[in-house]
Amino acid sequence: MNRTRTLLITLGLLALGLVVAQGMMDGPNTQPWTNDGYQRAHHMGPGNGAMGYGGMGYGQRVPGRMAPGTRGMMGGGMMGGGMGMMQTLPAGATPLDDTLLRERLEEAAASFGPDARIADVMPFANHTYAQVVDGEDRGLAELLVDRYTGQVTPEPGPNMMWNRAGGMGYAAAPAERYDEAAARDLAKDFLKGFLPGAEILAGQAFPGYVTFDYGREGRVDGMLSVHATTGAIWPHAWHGASLEDAHD
């Protein structure tokens, strides 16, 4: 009896996994940047899940740019186009114009409200990164746009897991212990072992965490985030090489 029950439960979980995977493959790439569009694509109710905040969804790909072989795992979403992970590109593929990429990011930022805007746009090998801030320069979220497809996705890591404004379950997290200045000190100490000789170049506070650029001799080498309650450090290992000569 127990074996039968275990088998049925296992089969049920496998079936559920297939349904979720199929939904991710089929829906996100054609949905508009609206909260309703995201929820339809992922069968979500308002406020549920990691990326249901601020109208977060998957941006449309640029028409005509999806040549055979350019789809990443999970349809170019979290493991594909937006992150540059497990993505294949045809020989001779060229990135989209920076102006077009910024337009895609600005379209995404508009869903956060009338005062939201894009800030700190930074090109990396895998994608272009940007921050969404409000009218008072307070951080709202972090975005990525695929340099080859124009697809906009929420940045993974702290943006999904630590963001109090809509991350995974952190709305009721304990009170913050580290402001931006204290988080900067933690980041400096961490860099001593992580990348000797590197220094913090710029920082932006988000609900629940702070993200910093770091590098050597003014050049950006990467980014990391510091949890505002625990002080945990999360390096952004998904960007690839920085394409900036120096931080603005």
Side-chain angles (χ1 to χ4, degrees), residues 139-174:
L140 300 176
E142 299 171 280
L143 303 177
L144 304 178
V145 58
D146 189 289
R147 296 174 59 239
Y148 290 88
T149 69
Q151 182 187 17
V152 179
T153 56
E155 189 182 39
N159 178 61
M160 292 184 183
M161 303 297 292
W162 291 351
N163 196 318
R164 289 176 180 265
M168 295 182 68
Y170 277 83

Side-chain angles (χ1 to χ4, degrees), residues 32-98:
W33 269 91
T34 65
N35 211 32
D36 289 343
Y38 184 84
Q39 290 162 10
R40 285 198 304 271
H42 293 269
H43 313 290
M44 295 166 60
N48 295 328
M51 296 173 287
Y53 56 91
M56 294 294 280
Y58 287 79
Q60 296 177 345
R61 297 177 186 275
V62 176
R65 293 293 301 200
M66 292 307 295
T70 57
R71 286 181 67 86
M73 184 179 178
M74 294 187 181
M78 184 172 175
M79 293 294 286
M83 288 179 62
M85 295 173 57
M86 303 182 72
Q87 180 188 30
T88 59
L89 295 167
T94 57
L96 294 167
D97 182 78
D98 288 340

Side-chain angles (χ1 to χ4, degrees), residues 136-241:
E136 299 180 5
D137 293 329
R138 293 174 299 197
L140 300 176
E142 299 171 280
L143 303 177
L144 304 178
V145 58
D146 189 289
R147 296 174 59 239
Y148 290 88
T149 69
Q151 182 187 17
V152 179
T153 56
E155 189 182 39
N159 178 61
M160 292 184 183
M161 303 297 292
W162 291 351
N163 196 318
R164 289 176 180 265
M168 295 182 68
Y170 277 83
E176 297 181 1
R177 296 177 53 198
Y178 303 98
D179 59 13
E180 184 172 340
R184 181 182 292 266
D185 290 339
L186 294 177
K188 287 180 179 179
D189 288 340
F190 174 77
L191 284 178
K192 292 177 183 177
F194 185 74
L195 186 63
E199 60 181 353
I200 298 298
L201 301 177
Q204 175 64 57
F206 294 91
Y209 68 101
V210 184
T211 291
F212 294 103
D213 306 332
Y214 64 84
R216 292 163 291 186
E217 299 181 355
R219 179 180 175 83
V220 175
D221 285 309
M223 305 176 73
L224 59 81
S225 296
V226 180
H227 195 288
T229 299
T230 67
I233 308 290
W234 197 332
H236 297 202
W238 44 84
H239 291 311

